[in-house]
Amino acid sequence: MTSGETMAMQLGLALCRHCGLLSKVPEGSREGFCPRCGNKLLFRKKDSLQRTWALIIAAAICYIPANLQPVMTSVTVTGSHADTIISGVVLLYTSGSWHLALIVLIASVMIPMAKLISLAYLLITVQRRSTKSNRERIRLYRLVEFIGRWSMLDVFVIAFVVALVQLKPLMAAEPRSGIVFFAAVVILTMIASQSFDPRLIWDSTHSMEQPS
Amino acid sequence: MNHENRQETATAGADYLTACPDCDLLQYITPPPPLGKTVCRRCGKVLAINTPEDHERTLALTLGAAIVFLIANAFPLMGLSAAGRQVSTTVIGGALVLWAEGHQLTAALVGLCAVVAPGIYIVMIMTILIIARHGDPLPEWVGEMLHGVELAREWAMAEVMMLGILVALVKIADLATVIVGVGMFATGALIVLIALIATNFRPEEIWARTRWFAKGSPVPKGPCPVMDCGDR
């Protein structure tokens, strides 16, 4: 630990997550109430590691059917065919809009996976009490928080295609089960990145007892 | 260390003690100069921004956003015509069709991110700013609302929706003629206005003016974390 660097927790102080006020948690206690906004005051997010693990494992499980199962069926006079997320990307690519294909590929396939891998990496390094590249890890966390929302893209695409293409019997589009898993991945990874506490990254640097 | 006294000066322009929300480093920070910002000296997290807060301007932006939001939701986003038939959809139409097709979870998610969260975000900030015109201290429920604003912002995804609509348009354009509706332009304007509100709205300043929870009212079960509880 570098001299002159003290964590608020070491002095029994905690920053309120809601209003940002720094206040003192009663001696010997692990939690209190923020005097300004009345919310619960904790040194670290509650069960951050367990909750984040549980959420990303659930998300990883949903990620498989989200990519394998069809997300949409298009019915036209010539017949009907089911599209998975990947085949939707391929369709966009072959119809000439490779830039949109790339955007959808990044948003729907790569971002959720990158999010899962990044969060797992952060969790593992925290659990192994790594003290290396803390700044890089916190940047990774911020990136995960920043780009995460874009994985919602395909859910919107399906929603609007399905809403608009309703000219039965000429042509119609129907949502399929893959989209439910995909929506679940989006929700689970968003909650997972919120439940991870970035301050844990620095805790081992201060080599102190973790309040469990 | 005399944290208590320093803490009180948080809004007065002197150095004050705070902890970084991302790395928990305890540090004294100097309030930034106008248009400047102070970052955590260890992890680089922005700890304080000093944009001159102009409540009237932010309020005007929220009013504009509310009007644009209503237009975006009331008018069709886009229409489709093929073989002499026409259909169109609104923002909420996407969620409603998913719901009708039996995909309630997805429908709820789309409705939340496209309509509910942006709507709550705009209305809550507007309410807070209107209340803030009527002198201090602000009632405690303003604090609850600020918390709601943060949650709503997390789930409000007008910009993601816009890109989703564009991709959907390209996909459909192969099948039929697509007509872009008023709702689409309103959604574009809404994205700009929400971004402007987000950069102009300063929750810290509202928090500093909110009545303290611990003052006068009985302290909730559990010990009081007292740090200058009744000192305002």
Side-chain angles (χ1 to χ4, degrees):
Chain A
M1 166 180 161
T2 331
S3 60
E5 292 202 339
T6 314
M7 279 187 139
M9 179 163 76
Q10 292 170 306
L11 293 183
L13 299 172
L15 197 71
C16 175
R17 274 178 69 196
H18 298 299
C19 73
L21 181 79
L22 184 70
S23 39
K24 189 174 273 167
V25 172
E27 295 274 328
S29 173
R30 284 211 205 89
E31 55 182 66
F33 289 91
C34 174
R36 178 158 70 183
C37 69
N39 281 297
K40 209 176 214 178
L41 204 58
L42 294 163
F43 289 119
R44 296 292 177 262
K45 289 179 190 170
K46 199 162 187 275
D47 303 328
S48 175
L49 296 177
Q50 292 93 320
R51 283 184 192 189
T52 314
W53 266 126
L55 288 161
I56 65 171
I57 290 168
I61 293 169
C62 291
Y63 183 77
I64 299 164
N67 280 285
L68 293 181
Q69 291 199 13
V71 287
M72 188 175 74
T73 311
S74 349
V75 187
T76 53
V77 270
T78 52
S80 79
H81 79 108
D83 264 326
T84 60
I85 286 177
I86 288 289
S87 76
V89 171
V90 172
L91 206 65
L92 271 176
Y93 181 78
T94 51
S95 68
S97 31
W98 64 268
H99 13 37
L100 282 179
L102 187 66
I103 290 172
V104 176
L105 181 72
I106 292 173
S108 313
V109 184
M110 285 154 80
I111 289 182
M113 203 198 297
K115 235 178 136 170
L116 291 175
I117 294 172
S118 306
L119 283 172
Y121 167 74
L122 290 173
L123 288 168
I124 290 168
T125 52
V126 163
Q127 283 174 329
R128 296 183 64 184
R129 302 186 157 266
S130 164
T131 56
K132 277 182 240 149
S133 51
N134 289 0
R135 284 181 70 108
E136 284 68 31
R137 282 189 283 152
I138 200 110
R139 274 196 214 120
L140 179 66
Y141 175 68
R142 285 182 200 143
L143 187 68
V144 165
E145 277 206 308
F146 177 73
I147 60 166
R149 56 195 0 252
W150 289 94
S151 54
M152 239 331 248
L153 183 67
D154 233 28
V155 178
F156 283 123
V157 173
I158 305 292
F160 288 111
V161 169
V162 164
L164 201 54
V165 186
Q166 294 292 346
L167 288 169
K168 284 172 194 149
L170 196 59
M171 60 177 95
E174 280 162 17
R176 294 283 298 274
S177 56
I179 201 66
V180 180
F181 291 104
F182 196 79
V185 172
V186 174
I187 297 174
L188 290 168
T189 53
M190 275 191 71
I191 302 174
S193 75
Q194 285 164 22
S195 58
F196 179 75
D197 194 331
R199 292 171 293 191
L200 296 171
I201 294 173
W202 305 85
D203 277 347
S204 21
T205 307
H206 289 264
S207 58
M208 51 181 300
E209 294 291 293
Q210 296 254 3
S212 48
Chain B
M1 268 195 267
N2 195 0
H3 301 317
E4 283 78 3
N5 292 338
R6 297 276 203 129
Q7 178 68 27
E8 269 313 289
T9 56
T11 49
D15 286 14
Y16 62 96
L17 183 74
T18 192
C20 172
D22 274 10
C23 75
D24 212 24
L25 181 70
L26 205 57
Q27 55 200 303
Y28 281 105
I29 63 169
T30 312
L35 296 174
K37 58 187 179 183
T38 306
V39 298
C40 172
R41 64 180 158 89
R42 182 162 72 176
C43 75
K45 170 90 176 170
V46 177
L47 298 177
I49 306 177
N50 188 357
T51 322
E53 160 88 85
D54 181 348
H55 285 322
E56 296 296 306
R57 185 179 58 196
T58 318
L59 186 57
L61 285 172
T62 59
L63 273 171
I67 293 165
V68 169
F69 177 81
L70 289 178
I71 297 172
N73 282 286
F75 291 92
L77 269 180
M78 49 193 172
L80 182 77
S81 75
R85 284 174 62 193
Q86 273 210 352
V87 279
S88 68
T89 185
T90 54
V91 172
I92 197 67
L96 291 178
V97 171
L98 282 176
W99 188 282
E101 300 265 355
H103 290 254
Q104 282 86 353
L105 175 77
T106 321
L109 184 65
V110 169
L112 174 75
C113 300
V115 184
V116 179
I120 289 179
Y121 182 73
I122 295 166
V123 169
M124 278 190 167
I125 292 189
M126 205 197 297
T127 314
I128 291 168
L129 291 175
I130 290 171
I131 296 290
R133 286 162 65 112
H134 298 289
D136 297 341
L138 308 177
E140 286 116 22
W141 53 262
V142 167
E144 304 278 326
M145 254 192 187
L146 282 166
H147 184 208
V149 164
E150 223 167 89
L151 276 177
R153 200 187 160 192
E154 196 106 29
W155 291 94
M157 302 188 186
E159 75 283 19
V160 184
M161 179 180 83
M162 190 69 182
L163 189 59
I165 292 168
L166 293 177
V167 175
L169 277 182
V170 172
K171 286 195 168 205
I172 299 167
D174 286 348
L175 303 170
T177 315
V178 177
I179 310 135
V180 173
V182 178
M184 182 89 103
F185 296 105
T187 306
L190 185 66
I191 295 168
V192 175
L193 285 170
I194 287 183
L196 282 173
I197 293 170
T199 50
N200 275 285
F201 183 61
R202 297 260 75 85
E204 318 84 80
E205 197 181 307
I206 303 290
W207 273 120
R209 292 171 52 192
T210 306
R211 185 182 292 131
W212 280 39
F213 178 81
K215 191 179 182 180
S217 61
V219 175
K221 47 191 181 303
C224 175
V226 189
M227 182 165 206
D228 297 324
C229 261
D231 226 333
R232 283 189 64 195

